[in-house]
């Protein structure tokens, strides 16, 4: 097989390819991070090298398809197709199919230890629940489909916006790339007695007199925790996105935990048996700094043999001054836990949510303030836009309600940034 030619050497060729084959080619090249023209070049070279043509491919409804090949390759291919008495369209379809058959989809990247992402901030209404759901949705999307992702680093945009020069409300189409989903098995844990995540995803809060995460954490289970889990059934998540709904009994969690031995480990003890079923577990924390927050932070600590930044806390803030005090309180609590219990609790980053550069200096200067912290760094910037609120109202996951919206595109960028 020849080395791929550089794009300047290549010549444009126009032929036809059935839509389904073109789609498969598009997805597989994105999965493998290869250019379409390189795949076609390799497919044609491999087809020409065979002793005879491969099985016929159904080319009904083939549409115009153009690509760039090294000089001379198309002529060689034409001759070969004539010799084999197949049409150019059939020969090209066979070449593309041959490439697909010999370049299978990559395996899903799974870590040995289930990653734990603890989404927190005791300040209310900053978007913890929205970010928990959005990141979980992005991580579970179909690996055989392509979804728009903002690839020009969110931070570059943030810095521009931080200078007051640009508003990230503009989605430059050049910054959007279609990439395959991660295909991970994700469990969202609604750890907030307000049950917002549960309600937003259209599930029902657990009954007060039944079993609940609180009961399991308090050492008083009434059954298997696994039996409480529901699936978020939207096509793009393929049965991989699950939710452990909350129960209003979690309002009493801190009281019930006060009688529990090694209570900071209570969430871990409860969730550990579920970990084998998931690649990622994301915990949506309540807006408080009590014992339950200690238990959540403990759950996100770095375990032995786990790399730094695999698990940890993701802090959601707003670009406004009142967020900064809340941030200091939270990071102090985290420091105390680290010191008192000698734990490694990694920060996965700061997400600036509900951003609107048009609000002027307060927004842009606070955003700059978050960026200037640098450690942890800003890993996501999500604008204040209507789709998130609409999705909540419709009780639908944002990424299936508005999959191409700017917010969905930014959630996918955030998911990539922290994975
Ligand atoms: N980027 C966004 N654009 C528009 N609306 C948003 C955005 N993020 C969150 N919201 C809306 O703001 C409200 C608060 O968000 P959310 O419930 O996610 O915050 P929270 O931090 O989880 O709140 P709480 O502290 O009460 O748990 C919700 O109505 C949500 O739909
Ligand atoms: Mg919430």
């Amino acid at each position: 097989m020849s080395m791929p030619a550089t794009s300047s050497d290549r010549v444009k060729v126009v032929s036809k390819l059935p839509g389904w084959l073109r789609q498969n080619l598009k997805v597989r090249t994105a999965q493998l991070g290869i250019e379409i023209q390189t795949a076609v070049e390799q497919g044609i070279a491999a087809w020409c090298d065979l002793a005879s043509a491969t099985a016929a491919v159904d080319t009904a409804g083939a549409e115009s398809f153009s690509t760039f090949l090294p000089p001379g390759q198309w002529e060689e291919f034409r001759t070969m197709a004539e010799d084999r008495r197949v049409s150019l369209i059939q020969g090209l379809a066979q070449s593309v199919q041959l490439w697909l058959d010999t370049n299978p989809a990559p395996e899903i990247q799974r870590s040995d230890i289930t990653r734990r992402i603890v989404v927190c901030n005791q300040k209310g209404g900053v978007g913890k629940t929205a970010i928990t759901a959005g990141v979980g949705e992005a991580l579970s999307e179909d690996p055989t489909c392509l979804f728009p992702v903002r690839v020009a680093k969110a931070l570059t945009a943030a810095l521009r916006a931080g200078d007051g020069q640009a508003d990230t409300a503009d989605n430059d189409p050049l910054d959007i790339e279609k990439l395959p989903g991660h295909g991970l098995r994700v469990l969202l844990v609604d750890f907030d007695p307000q049950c917002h995540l549960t309600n937003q995803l259209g599930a029902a809060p657990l009954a007060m007199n039944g079993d609940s995460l609180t009961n399991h954490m308090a050492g008083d289970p009434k059954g298997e925790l696994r039996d409480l889990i529901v699936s978020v059934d939207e096509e793009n998540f393929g049965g991989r996105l699950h939710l452990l709904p909350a129960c209003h009994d979690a309002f009493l969690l801190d009281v019930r935990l006060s009688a529990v031995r090694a209570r900071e480990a209570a969430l871990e003890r409860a969730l550990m048996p579920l970990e084998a079923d998931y690649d990622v577990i994301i915990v949506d924390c309540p807006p408080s700094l009590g014992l339950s927050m200690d238990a959540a932070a403990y759950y996100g600590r770095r375990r032995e043999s786990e790399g730094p930044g695999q698990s940890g806390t993701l802090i959601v803030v707003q670009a406004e001054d009142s967020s900064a005090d809340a941030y200091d309180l939270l990071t102090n609590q985290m420091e105390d836990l680290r010191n008192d219990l000698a734990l490694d609790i990694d920060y996965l980053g700061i997400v600036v949510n509900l951003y609107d550069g048009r609000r002027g200096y307060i927004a842009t200067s606070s955003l700059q303030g978050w960026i200037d912290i640098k450690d942890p760094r800003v890993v996501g910037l999500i604008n204040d836009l209507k789709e998130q609120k609409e999705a909540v109202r419709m009780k639908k996951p944002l990424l299936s309600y508005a999959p191409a919206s700017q917010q969905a595109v930014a959630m996918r960028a955030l998911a990539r940034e922290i994975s």
Side-chain angles (χ1 to χ4, degrees):
M1 195 179 297
S2 61
M3 290 286 289
T6 57
S7 44
S8 56
D9 304 333
R10 288 173 179 264
V11 286
K12 183 171 180 177
V13 297
V14 182
S15 181
K16 285 185 172 181
L17 205 59
W20 60 270
L21 198 49
R22 180 204 304 247
Q23 183 61 18
N24 289 352
L25 179 64
K26 217 163 131 185
V27 171
R28 188 69 53 78
T29 49
Q31 287 171 328
L32 296 171
I34 292 175
E35 284 194 80
I36 289 182
Q37 59 182 12
T38 308
V40 177
E41 177 193 342
Q42 290 175 353
I44 289 178
W47 187 79
C48 290
D49 275 352
L50 292 175
S52 70
T54 56
V57 174
D58 182 2
T59 56
E63 295 157 13
S64 174
F65 171 77
S66 61
T67 190
F68 293 84
L69 295 176
Q73 190 185 28
W74 191 246
E75 290 68 30
E76 188 193 333
F77 167 68
R78 277 183 106 101
T79 314
M80 191 60 84
E82 263 170 40
D83 291 350
R84 289 175 176 172
R85 284 183 281 286
V86 296
S87 69
L88 283 178
I89 298 171
Q90 179 58 226
L92 182 63
Q94 289 183 16
S95 301
V96 169
Q97 188 59 55
L98 179 62
W99 184 85
L100 287 167
D101 292 343
T102 46
N103 291 272
E107 296 277 314
I108 303 283
Q109 295 287 322
R110 302 185 195 281
S111 49
D112 295 342
I113 303 176
T114 299
R115 297 187 60 205
R116 286 101 46 229
I117 301 175
V118 176
V119 183
C120 56
N121 190 343
Q122 78 283 7
K123 187 168 156 51
V126 292
K128 297 178 284 295
T129 302
I131 299 298
T132 301
V135 168
E137 291 159 26
L139 291 176
S140 61
E141 276 181 327
D142 192 341
T144 65
C145 291
L146 302 181
F147 301 94
V149 184
R150 189 167 72 204
V151 284
K153 296 280 174 288
L155 259 201
T156 322
L159 280 165
R160 273 192 279 133
D163 290 341
Q165 289 173 1
D167 181 1
T168 52
D170 302 330
N171 239 0
D172 184 343
L174 291 178
D175 293 347
I176 308 280
E177 201 174 300
K178 290 213 161 184
L179 295 172
H182 294 261
L184 297 176
R185 300 163 303 166
V186 178
L187 175 65
L188 305 175
V189 177
D190 190 349
F191 194 42
D192 183 351
Q194 302 176 97
C195 305
H196 286 165
L197 180 62
T198 304
N199 288 325
Q200 275 187 27
L201 293 174
L206 299 169
M208 277 296 273
N209 51 3
D211 200 12
S212 66
L213 178 58
T214 305
N215 286 340
H216 283 256
M217 289 179 68
D220 186 19
K222 295 186 177 172
E224 291 288 328
L225 194 57
R226 181 176 278 109
D227 295 341
L228 303 178
I229 291 174
V230 293
S231 178
V232 180
D233 280 330
E234 298 280 336
E235 201 185 325
N236 287 350
F237 313 128
R240 289 175 296 271
L241 182 63
H242 291 180
L243 167 74
L244 176 58
C247 173
H248 293 294
D249 71 353
F251 278 117
L252 298 171
L253 181 61
D254 278 18
V255 178
R256 291 184 65 186
L257 277 186
S258 59
V260 169
R261 182 188 50 82
R263 57 198 177 211
E264 67 282 349
L267 183 62
E268 177 159 279
R269 282 197 295 266
L271 295 180
M272 194 89 108
L274 305 176
E275 288 181 6
D277 298 340
Y278 298 99
D279 301 305
V280 185
I281 296 183
I282 312 182
V283 181
D284 179 25
C285 290
S288 65
L289 282 180
L291 295 178
S292 50
M293 184 57 223
D294 280 357
Y298 182 91
Y299 186 53
R301 81 190 187 287
R302 192 192 315 158
R303 292 182 185 163
E304 224 174 291
S305 80
E306 195 173 24
Q310 285 284 105
S311 295
T313 55
L314 187 64
I315 305 178
V316 183
V317 300
Q318 265 176 272
E320 56 170 40
D321 294 339
S322 63
S323 260
D325 295 337
Y327 173 81
D328 287 344
L329 283 173
L330 179 67
T331 50
N332 285 344
Q333 182 183 16
M334 225 74 86
E335 275 311 303
D336 288 349
L337 259 183
R338 278 173 159 175
N339 295 333
D340 295 350
L341 301 171
L343 302 174
D344 286 319
I345 303 174
D346 293 330
Y347 291 112
L348 299 179
I350 297 173
V351 180
V352 181
N353 185 36
L354 285 157
Y355 182 71
D356 185 351
R358 290 169 308 181
R359 293 198 185 115
Y361 181 72
I362 297 291
T364 55
S365 63
S366 327
L367 173 59
Q368 192 63 51
W370 293 118
I371 292 167
D372 288 343
I373 290 178
K374 294 205 165 78
D375 185 2
R377 69 189 172 84
V378 174
V379 287
L381 178 70
I382 316 282
N383 288 80
D384 184 349
L385 292 169
K386 65 180 172 52
E387 282 83 358
Q388 173 63 41
K389 289 193 177 68
E390 287 171 1
V392 168
R393 178 72 62 86
M394 305 298 286
K395 295 187 185 295
K396 284 273 215 173
L398 171 72
L399 272 66
S400 54
Y401 170 73
S405 66
Q406 196 194 126
Q407 283 176 327
V409 164
M411 289 291 185
R412 294 191 191 101
L414 167 61
R416 273 172 197 273
E417 198 63 32
I418 61 172
S419 61

